[in-house]
Amino acid sequence: MSVSTASLAFSGAGPIAAATRQRVLDAAAALDYSGPNPLGRQLRRGRSGIVGVVVGDSLRRSFRDPVSIQVLDGLVSTLGPLDLGVLLIPGSSDPAGPAVDPLLETAAMDVAVIMWGGTTDDPMLGALRRRGTPTVLVEGQPLPDVASVGIDDRGGMREATEHLLSLGHTRIASVTLPFDRSRGEGLVALDQMDHLDWEITRRRLDGVTDAGVTPVAIWETPASLVEHGRTAGTALLSTPDRPTAIACQSDLLASGVVLAARELGLRVPEDVSVSGFDGLDLPWLAPDVLTTVVQPLAEKGAAVGHAVEAFLAGEGPTRRMLPVSLRIGTTTGPAPTVS
Amino acid sequence: MSVSTASLAFSGAGPIAAATRQRVLDAAAALDYSGPNPLGRQLRRGRSGIVGVVVGDSLRRSFRDPVSIQVLDGLVSTLGPLDLGVLLIPGSSDPAGPAVDPLLETAAMDVAVIMWGGTTDDPMLGALRRRGTPTVLVEGQPLPDVASVGIDDRGGMREATEHLLSLGHTRIASVTLPFDRSRGEGLVALDQMDHLDWEITRRRLDGVTDAGVTPVAIWETPASLVEHGRTAGTALLSTPDRPTAIACQSDLLASGVVLAARELGLRVPEDVSVSGFDGLDLPWLAPDVLTTVVQPLAEKGAAVGHAVEAFLAGEGPTRRMLPVSLRIGTTTGPAPTVS
DNA sequence: GCGCTCGGTCGAATCGATTCGATCGCCTCT
DNA sequence: AGAGGCGATCGAATCGATTCGACCGAGCGC
């Protein structure tokens, strides 16, 4: 029998007699041949069936972030039925090392996805453009030739800030995500605002401004983690003229701030109000429920999946912005009356 | 110029004149050819440079587990320098769906890794054997032809239990990981012990027995998550003759039990002692520090990486067992005097 | 001056599957 | 009975890079 017949037998497509098919399968079993070699198939098809996903910077850090996880989960759920696999690509964690992971340069992938599509001059984008790999950017600024998926960060943060204003707060501080790749930690002076290079941080900060608020303090954190929120909260709430409300750019940061407040003997929300961003479930804050801007995380992953699908269908880069909504919990309340 | 010369120019191997090399690169730039196509290279090499990793069952659940994350991180760190990529393969989460993810059957991979290498009759192992893909099993029972990486679960749990014994505890309960794929939740009667199919759960339970203890209650949880620990703790500590110590099979479960105890108004460790397993940092338990069996998570990932490396070097399946150590924190103390 | 050697370049085979067009019977319709 | 049609099978080209052996010219030693 010929190779072409065997191929027909395995693929199932094309006209083939049942008897021949069985004969091929028997022969395959005898030679313990276990189906077509994926590499040959991929070369012929010109498709690897693989989507490279750059998850934040270091894996350890990204994977501790429930936000990334849930988006990734939504993405995988969408890609699975399309017979696409997800190749994990570490972002550049080590400033001394290469700017982009070698996988990004050499691995076979049909489409690349950059979660946390960060800063404006990202070298990863250059590498992908050079290779001609279609790219989906999550939470980055829109670029020509690059598909993007984002949420209404700015509007959501504006809404949260307006909620605080309506409760009578005037001394509002902000705890933010990193400003740039150097990931500083601490108070940001007004004259340092120009090194704000991370798109998502900028947009969420702009939302506060949109509500007409100038924060009494801006605290930058190196990553969205509870411990950094705790550090920020401890610092911000230990000052004599402490803020009465703290708007955080993520739920993990916010929950750290709440923990810090509790440790300092402050009541939430009677003494200080705290708001977050993301809409996570935070069981360890129980019985408190965080006031937060809820973003549709699984849908975001699905939207990324659809953007990938569109690329593979030969359509151009797509652009999608998902809505957010404010969820009012128990961590925000009326501003304390001045004493 | 010829294709072979071009290949030499790009690979850098083989004798090639600098002038020719430059000419090739210029021509490549002119035709905007961006280096060799990975698929052709892979087909020729017979290697895809990809390691398929099956992470627990559903991605959402696995990624909420810091243990998986840290092992995965250690693995990626080891694989990166070897120019190997990690392909994420969802485990079988949906009992109605296919037993193994199609990726496991069709994706190109040089080696497969199964984290949480679970139950004895795992259909994934069959699929991989059929394909002839070398396989590394984490926390599974040793099998011929399959490399394995594990820790001394049994000894560690024995040590933790002996620690509780030395504090005078006699009424010791156990909160366990899932027994089998059905993932029940609740008290396990003694006559149901035979459906204990998950290797890791069995070994950790055996460790308790090794110390000479018969648990006064065994509570099975569907997954290693804080909320399941809280449910278990609430149930076990609400009974009139409650245990004075609870040995948990994971830190997340243990932290849930501690939270439940606090909610019930019980003091830890004065009223009830709690021990965990894994050695995670649990900031939300602060200022308490969990007594736990510490396992080297990043090293475990690295060990998996080395097992992969050994396979690719043509060596047979390797086997590795890593040591654990007991870390005594503030959540265990002398048994309360009987009233 | 002749031949040998070595650095550099080129041809061609190979990895494994897919797929288009061609071929070959056999059945059916007229 | 002859011709047309259709279902089944086969050949051969193709995807793109790697690599072994062959080949060619120049330089060097005898």
Side-chain angles (χ1 to χ4, degrees), chain A residues 21-46:
Chain A
R21 205 179 99 86
Q22 193 52 50
R23 209 154 50 88
V24 169
L25 275 110
D26 288 347
L31 299 161
D32 69 334
Y33 169 87
S34 51
N37 179 327
L39 280 94
R41 175 204 295 264
Q42 288 173 15
L43 174 60
R44 185 64 232 255
R45 288 253 164 93

Side-chain angles (χ1 to χ4, degrees), chain A residues 5 48 53-54 61 65 112 131 174-175 203 234 248 272 287 303 310 331 333:
Chain A
T5 310
S48 64
V53 177
V54 183
R61 191 147 45 189
D65 181 6
R131 288 191 63 183
S174 193
V175 175
R203 286 207 306 253
T234 305
C248 305
V272 58
T331 59

Side-chain angles (χ1 to χ4, degrees), chain A residues 5-331:
Chain A
T5 310
S7 175
L8 271 324
F10 272 101
S11 72
I16 187 135
T20 314
R21 205 179 99 86
Q22 193 52 50
R23 209 154 50 88
V24 169
L25 275 110
D26 288 347
L31 299 161
D32 69 334
Y33 169 87
S34 51
N37 179 327
L39 280 94
R41 175 204 295 264
Q42 288 173 15
L43 174 60
R44 185 64 232 255
R45 288 253 164 93
R47 286 268 173 90
S48 64
I50 285 181
V51 177
V53 177
V54 183
V55 277
D57 46 0
S58 89
L59 281 193
R60 197 186 343 249
R61 191 147 45 189
S62 327
F63 281 159
R64 283 179 66 186
D65 181 6
V67 176
S68 304
I69 298 316
Q70 289 187 48
V71 175
L72 193 58
D73 186 66
L75 175 60
V76 172
S77 305
T78 313
L79 257 32
L82 302 172
D83 274 323
L84 294 173
V86 165
L87 179 70
L88 235 42
I89 303 178
S92 48
S93 51
D94 175 16
V100 294
D101 193 279
L103 281 176
L104 206 64
E105 308 264 24
T106 63
M109 49 187 170
D110 299 334
V111 182
V113 174
I114 302 184
M115 309 284 234
W116 303 112
T119 59
T120 47
D121 60 337
D122 202 318
M124 295 192 289
L125 286 173
L128 289 170
R129 188 189 316 278
R130 213 176 313 124
R131 288 191 63 183
T133 307
T135 304
V136 182
L137 204 55
V138 183
E139 298 300 350
Q141 59 182 356
L143 254 60
D145 297 333
V146 170
S148 65
V149 173
I151 56 172
D152 184 14
D153 295 280
R154 192 163 174 168
M157 191 53 98
R158 174 188 178 137
E159 207 178 335
T161 309
E162 284 169 347
H163 164 66
L164 293 174
L165 282 178
S166 74
L167 290 168
H169 292 277
T170 52
R171 303 185 49 73
I172 300 177
S174 193
V175 175
T176 76
L177 296 170
F179 270 39
D180 59 13
R181 207 170 288 122
S182 67
R183 295 174 173 273
E185 178 164 29
L187 279 178
V188 179
L190 282 182
D191 58 353
Q192 293 177 333
M193 293 295 290
D194 55 347
H195 82 109
L196 172 44
D197 194 25
W198 212 294
E199 183 65 14
I200 187 172
T201 309
R202 176 203 306 282
R203 286 207 306 253
R204 294 190 185 175
L205 219 36
D206 284 346
V208 175
T209 315
D210 287 350
V213 167
T214 304
V216 294
I218 294 178
W219 182 281
E220 177 188 2
T221 65
S224 174
L225 292 175
V226 176
E227 57 214 71
H228 296 310
R230 188 200 303 258
T231 306
T234 305
L236 291 173
L237 295 173
S238 299
T239 56
D241 52 350
R242 57 179 151 80
T244 63
I246 301 184
C248 305
Q249 290 194 350
S250 87
D251 280 358
L252 291 188
L253 292 174
S255 72
V257 170
V258 171
L259 293 179
R262 287 184 187 166
E263 284 167 18
L264 291 170
L266 297 174
R267 293 163 303 159
V268 176
E270 290 80 0
D271 296 321
V272 58
S273 287
V274 179
S275 75
F277 200 113
D278 287 337
L280 302 180
D281 286 326
L282 303 171
W284 63 85
L285 281 191
D288 269 325
V289 176
L290 192 66
T291 294
T292 189
V293 179
V294 182
Q295 60 165 316
L297 293 170
E299 276 182 46
K300 203 178 183 178
V304 175
H306 293 138
V308 168
E309 199 176 356
F311 267 133
L312 292 180
E315 307 167 21
T318 59
R319 216 155 293 234
R320 181 88 184 279
M321 176 173 321
L322 299 169
V324 299
S325 65
L326 183 65
R327 180 184 75 198
I328 296 177
T330 62
T331 59

Side-chain angles (χ1 to χ4, degrees), chain B:
Chain B
M1 78 201 67
S2 75
V3 283
S4 35
T5 310
S7 175
L8 272 323
F10 272 100
S11 72
I16 188 136
T20 314
R21 206 180 97 85
Q22 193 54 51
R23 210 154 49 90
V24 170
L25 289 161
D26 288 347
L31 299 161
D32 68 334
Y33 169 87
S34 50
N37 179 327
L39 285 119
R41 174 203 297 262
Q42 289 173 13
L43 174 59
R44 186 64 231 257
R45 287 252 166 95
R47 285 268 173 91
S48 64
I50 285 182
V51 177
V53 177
V54 183
V55 277
D57 45 1
S58 89
L59 280 192
R60 198 189 339 253
R61 193 148 42 190
S62 329
F63 281 159
R64 282 178 67 186
D65 181 6
V67 176
S68 303
I69 298 317
Q70 289 186 48
V71 175
L72 193 58
D73 187 66
L75 174 61
V76 172
S77 306
T78 313
L79 257 30
L82 301 173
D83 274 325
L84 294 172
V86 165
L87 179 70
L88 234 43
I89 302 178
S92 47
S93 51
D94 175 16
V100 294
D101 193 279
L103 280 176
L104 205 64
E105 308 264 24
T106 61
M109 50 187 170
D110 299 334
V111 182
V113 174
I114 302 185
M115 308 286 233
W116 304 110
T119 60
T120 47
D121 61 337
D122 202 319
M124 295 191 290
L125 286 173
L128 289 170
R129 188 189 315 279
R130 212 176 312 124
R131 289 190 62 183
T133 307
T135 305
V136 182
L137 204 54
V138 183
E139 298 300 351
Q141 59 182 357
L143 256 59
D145 297 334
V146 170
S148 65
V149 173
I151 57 172
D152 184 14
D153 296 279
R154 192 163 174 168
M157 193 53 100
R158 174 188 179 137
E159 208 178 335
T161 309
E162 284 168 347
H163 165 66
L164 293 175
L165 282 178
S166 75
L167 289 168
H169 293 276
T170 51
R171 304 185 47 74
I172 300 176
S174 192
V175 175
T176 76
L177 296 170
F179 271 38
D180 59 13
R181 209 170 286 121
S182 66
R183 296 173 172 272
E185 177 163 30
L187 278 178
V188 179
L190 283 182
D191 59 353
Q192 294 177 332
M193 293 294 289
D194 55 346
H195 83 109
L196 172 44
D197 193 26
W198 211 294
E199 183 65 14
I200 188 172
T201 308
R202 177 202 308 281
R203 286 208 305 253
R204 294 190 185 175
L205 219 37
D206 284 345
V208 175
T209 314
D210 287 350
V213 166
T214 305
V216 294
I218 295 178
W219 181 282
E220 176 188 3
T221 66
S224 176
L225 293 175
V226 176
E227 56 213 72
H228 297 310
R230 189 200 302 257
T231 306
T234 306
L236 291 173
L237 294 173
S238 298
T239 56
D241 52 350
R242 56 178 153 79
T244 63
I246 301 183
C248 305
Q249 291 194 349
S250 87
D251 280 357
L252 291 189
L253 292 175
S255 71
V257 170
V258 171
L259 293 179
R262 287 183 186 166
E263 285 167 17
L264 291 170
L266 297 173
R267 292 164 303 160
V268 176
E270 290 80 2
D271 296 320
V272 59
S273 287
V274 179
S275 75
F277 200 114
D278 288 336
L280 302 180
D281 287 325
L282 303 172
W284 63 85
L285 281 191
D288 269 325
V289 175
L290 192 66
T291 293
T292 189
V293 179
V294 182
Q295 60 165 317
L297 292 170
E299 276 181 47
K300 203 179 185 178
V304 175
H306 293 138
V308 169
E309 199 176 356
F311 267 132
L312 292 180
E315 305 167 22
T318 59
R319 218 155 292 234
R320 181 86 184 279
M321 184 190 289
L322 300 169
V324 298
S325 65
L326 183 65
R327 181 184 72 199
I328 296 176
T330 63
T331 60
T332 48
T337 52
V338 276
S339 54

